C-alpha cells in the first residue's frame, strides 16, 4: 500500500493529535529538520542498496531469491488493486474495532518482517562469521502428489548462518510486537523496502512509465480527493511506513510526534531506478549515468514534497512530485545522448548479466537450483573444450 508523506503538526485533528484534546507543543525547527532529513536518508538507503542487489539477485541459489517480473498488464492493474485494498482497509477500520484488526496485522507483519530483515542482513552478517564457523546446509522441501504427478510447492535452501540471521531478526520482531517502538518499525520498514526494490523487477521502461503514471493518479486522488489515505496510514499499526519523531530532541527515544513516509513512495520509484541501473549495465559503457540521474531526481522530488508539505501544513502525495522527476530527468538525459530508442527497447527479462548462465529451454531435471546451475556451467565448459579441440566443427 502506498501512502502520502504526512506531517503530524502541532497535534491538530488532522495531524493525529492526542485523543484527549490536548495539543502537543510545537516542534522546534531543529527537530523538524532532523525528522525530515532522517526520513530522506532512510528512503535513499533501500533504493541505493536494493538497486545494487537487484543486479545480482538473479544469481541466487534459492527460488525465493529470484526476482518477480512486473509486466505491462500487471502495471496497468496495480492501481486498481491498490485502490480496492485501500478502500477495503478504510471500511474495515470504520466498521470493526481497530484493536483487533491491528492485532491480527501485527502478527502477520511480525512473521513477514522477520523473514525480510533476515534476508536483508544476511550478506552483511556473512562477513563477520569466522572461517572456522560450522556452517551446515539445510533444505526445506514441500511437494504435492506422488510418483510422476509430484510437484514442488516450496524448495528453500538455507544454512546455519541464515539461522543465526533469523534469530537476530526474531529479537527485533519480539521488540516490535511488544513495544511497537518506532525504531523496530523502521527496521522492518527498511527491510521491506530493500527487499521490494531488489526482488520486484520491471521488464522494461514502458512498463515502469505505466506503473508510475497509474500510481501518480492513484496517490493524488486518494490524498487530495478523500481522507482515506491519511486515515488508513494513521490507523494502520504495521511497518508499512517509515516514521521519525519531530520531538526527538525534547523527549529522546520516547518521542511521539511523528512525521511519516509510506513505503510505496520508496519501493515504486525504487524499482524504476533499479531498472535504469540494469539498463546502464546493459550499455557496457562502465557508467551509471541513468541510475545516478534518477537517484538525484528522487532526492529532488522527495525534497520538494517535504518543502511543499511544510509550507502548506498538509499531507502530500509524494508520487505527485516523484513520478515526474524520476521519469522526466532520465528521459531528458536520453534525449541529450540520443539513446531514447535504446532505453525504451531495453528488456530487463532478456538481459544477460556477467557470469550468469542463460536457459533457452526448460529441461526436465530434479534437484536444487544450485545443482542445475552447476550442471549448466559444466555443459558450457565442455562445449568450449570441444570447439577448441575441433575447430572444423565451426
Amino acid at each position: 500500500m502506498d501512502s502520502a508523506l504526512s506531517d503530524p503538526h502541532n497535534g491538530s485533528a488532522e495531524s493525529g493529535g492526542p485523543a484527549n484534546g490536548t495539543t502537543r507543543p510545537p516542534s522546534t525547527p531543529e527537530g523538524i529538520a532532523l525528522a525530515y532529513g532522517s526520513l530522506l536518508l532512510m528512503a535513499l538507503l533501500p533504493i541505493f542498496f536494493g538497486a545494487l542487489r537487484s543486479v545480482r539477485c538473479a544469481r541466487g541459489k534459492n527460488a525465493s531469491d529470484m526476482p518477480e517480473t512486473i509486466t505491462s498488464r500487471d502495471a496497468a492493474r496495480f492501481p486498481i488493486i491498490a485502490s480496492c485494498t485501500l478502500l477495503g482497509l478504510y471500511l474495515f477500520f470504520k466498521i470493526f474495532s481497530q484493536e483487533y484488526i491491528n492485532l491480527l496485522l501485527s502478527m502477520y507483519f511480525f512473521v513477514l518482517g522477520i523473514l525480510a530483515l533476515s534476508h536483508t542482513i544476511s550478506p552483511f552478517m556473512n562477513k563477520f562469521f569466522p572461517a572456522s564457523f560450522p556452517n551446515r546446509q539445510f533444505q526445506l522441501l514441500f511437494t504435492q502428489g506422488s510418483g510422476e504427478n509430484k510437484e514442488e510447492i516450496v524448495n528453500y535452501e538455507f544454512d546455519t548462518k541464515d539461522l543465526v540471521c533469523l534469530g537476530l531478526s526474531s529479537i527485533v520482531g519480539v521488540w516490535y510486537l511488544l513495544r511497537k517502538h518506532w525504531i523496530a518499525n523502521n527496521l522492518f520498514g527498511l527491510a521491506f523496502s530493500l527487499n521490494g526494490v531488489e526482488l520486484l523487477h520491471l521488464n522494461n521502461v514502458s512498463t515502469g512509465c505505466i506503473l508510475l503514471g497509474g500510481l501518480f493518479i492513484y496517490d493524488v486522488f486518494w490524498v487530495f480527493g478523500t481522507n482515506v489515505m491519511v486515515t488508513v496510514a494513521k490507523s494502520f499499526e504495521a511497518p508499512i511506513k517509515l516514521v521519525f519523531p519531530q520531538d526527538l530532541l525534547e523527549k529522546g527515544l520516547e518521542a511521539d510526534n511523528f512525521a511519516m513516509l509510506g513505503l510505496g513512495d520508496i519501493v515504486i520509484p525504487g524499482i524504476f531506478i533499479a531498472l535504469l541501473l540494469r539498463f546502464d549495465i546493459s550499455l557496457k559503457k562502465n557508467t551509471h549515468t541513468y541510475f545516478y540521474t534518477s537517484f538525484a531526481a528522487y532526492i529532488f522530488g522527495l525534497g520538494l514534497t517535504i518543502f511543499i508539505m511544510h509550507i502548506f501544513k498538509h499531507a502530500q502525495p509524494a508520487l505527485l512530485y516523484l513520478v515526474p522527476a524520476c521519469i522526466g530527468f532520465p528521459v531528458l538525459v536520453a534525449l541529450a545522448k540520443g539513446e531514447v530508442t535504446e532505453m525504451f527497447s531495453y528488456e530487463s527479462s532478456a538481459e544477460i548479466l556477467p557470469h550468469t548462465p542463460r536457459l533457452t529451454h526448460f529441461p526436465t531435471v530434479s534437484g536444487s537450483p544450485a545443482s542445475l546451475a552447476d550442471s549448466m556451467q559444466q555443459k558450457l565448459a565442455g562445449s568450449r573444450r570441444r570447439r577448441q579441440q575441433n575447430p572444423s566443427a565451426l
Side-chain angles (χ1 to χ4, degrees):
M1 185 192 71
D2 184 59
S3 86
L5 184 63
S6 180
D7 174 23
H9 192 77
N10 292 347
S12 63
E14 177 174 72
S15 63
N20 59 10
T22 60
T23 59
R24 293 170 178 161
S27 301
T28 63
E30 294 82 4
I32 294 175
L34 178 61
Y36 290 160
S38 299
L39 283 178
L40 178 60
L41 178 62
M42 286 191 293
L44 295 177
L45 289 176
I47 292 178
F48 184 83
F49 290 104
L52 295 178
R53 288 173 59 157
S54 77
V55 177
R56 301 189 297 267
C57 76
R59 308 172 194 172
K61 296 181 180 179
N62 295 322
S64 60
D65 292 334
M66 292 302 182
E68 185 73 23
T69 302
I70 301 175
T71 64
S72 58
R73 177 178 294 183
D74 298 328
R77 292 186 298 189
F78 190 81
I80 300 174
I81 297 173
S83 296
C84 294
T85 303
L86 181 66
L87 186 59
L89 287 171
Y90 177 79
L91 294 177
F92 262 91
F93 282 118
K94 289 295 184 181
I95 297 173
F96 302 102
S97 171
Q98 292 186 15
E99 179 182 357
Y100 298 109
I101 297 174
N102 281 319
L103 178 61
L104 180 63
L105 293 173
S106 295
M107 295 302 298
Y108 176 70
F109 281 99
F110 166 74
V111 177
L112 289 184
I114 290 175
L115 295 175
L117 187 58
S118 176
H119 180 266
T120 300
I121 67 174
S122 180
F124 303 102
M125 290 298 298
N126 285 336
K127 300 178 181 179
F128 296 97
F129 288 102
S132 59
F133 183 82
N135 192 33
R136 296 184 178 181
Q137 301 293 324
F138 303 93
Q139 183 179 23
L140 184 63
L141 179 63
F142 288 96
T143 61
Q144 179 179 349
S146 60
E148 296 181 355
N149 297 325
K150 181 184 293 187
E151 59 177 324
E152 292 183 0
I153 300 176
V154 176
N155 187 355
Y156 188 78
E157 296 181 356
F158 57 97
D159 53 30
T160 309
K161 295 179 180 179
D162 294 326
L163 292 178
V164 174
C165 294
L166 196 64
L168 294 175
S169 301
S170 299
I171 297 175
V172 178
V174 173
W175 181 27
Y176 169 77
L177 199 62
L178 296 178
R179 296 289 305 277
K180 298 292 175 61
H181 199 276
W182 60 272
I183 295 179
N185 172 91
N186 287 347
L187 289 175
F188 277 169
L190 289 170
F192 285 139
S193 300
L194 190 145
N195 278 270
V197 176
E198 176 187 358
L199 299 176
L200 292 176
H201 286 196
L202 296 164
N203 63 347
N204 55 50
V205 174
S206 298
T207 299
C209 293
I210 294 172
L211 180 65
L212 267 66
L215 290 176
F216 172 89
I217 299 172
Y218 156 87
D219 211 18
V220 172
F221 172 76
W222 288 112
V223 174
F224 285 152
T226 70
N227 68 336
V228 171
M229 180 79 77
V230 177
T231 300
V232 172
K234 292 175 179 177
S235 303
F236 206 83
E237 292 184 4
I240 51 117
K241 55 185 178 289
L242 298 179
V243 298
F244 200 90
Q246 301 185 44
D247 52 349
L248 179 69
L249 300 177
E250 291 79 21
K251 296 185 178 181
L253 296 180
E254 299 303 320
D256 58 359
N257 185 18
F258 296 104
M260 64 184 71
L261 175 66
L263 298 190
D265 299 325
I266 301 173
V267 175
I268 300 303
I271 61 177
F272 187 75
I273 294 172
L275 171 68
L276 293 179
L277 174 60
R278 299 193 298 275
F279 171 61
D280 275 321
I281 294 175
S282 73
L283 294 177
K284 300 179 180 179
K285 295 182 179 179
N286 295 323
T287 60
H288 296 159
T289 304
Y290 294 99
F291 171 67
Y292 290 127
T293 299
S294 57
F295 196 73
Y298 182 86
I299 297 175
F300 170 78
L302 191 57
L304 181 61
T305 307
I306 293 173
F307 175 76
I308 298 296
M309 182 185 63
H310 185 66
I311 294 299
F312 291 98
K313 303 295 187 294
H314 187 277
Q316 295 294 313
L319 294 182
L320 172 63
Y321 311 96
L322 291 173
V323 169
C326 290
I327 294 178
F329 283 34
V331 169
L332 289 177
V333 171
L335 285 171
K337 298 181 68 174
E339 295 176 342
V340 176
T341 303
E342 290 87 342
M343 173 185 283
F344 281 90
S345 62
Y346 168 71
E347 288 286 339
S348 178
S349 58
E351 67 189 353
I352 301 179
L353 299 176
H355 312 299
T356 304
R358 298 284 297 174
L359 273 176
T360 56
H361 63 285
F362 296 92
T364 302
V365 296
S366 60
S368 66
S371 63
L372 174 60
D374 293 339
S375 174
M376 291 174 60
Q377 293 283 13
Q378 293 171 3
K379 290 180 180 179
L380 289 173
S383 176
R384 294 192 191 100
R385 286 195 297 269
R386 286 194 298 271
R387 287 198 299 267
Q388 293 171 356
Q389 295 171 1
N390 187 15
S392 62
L394 298 175

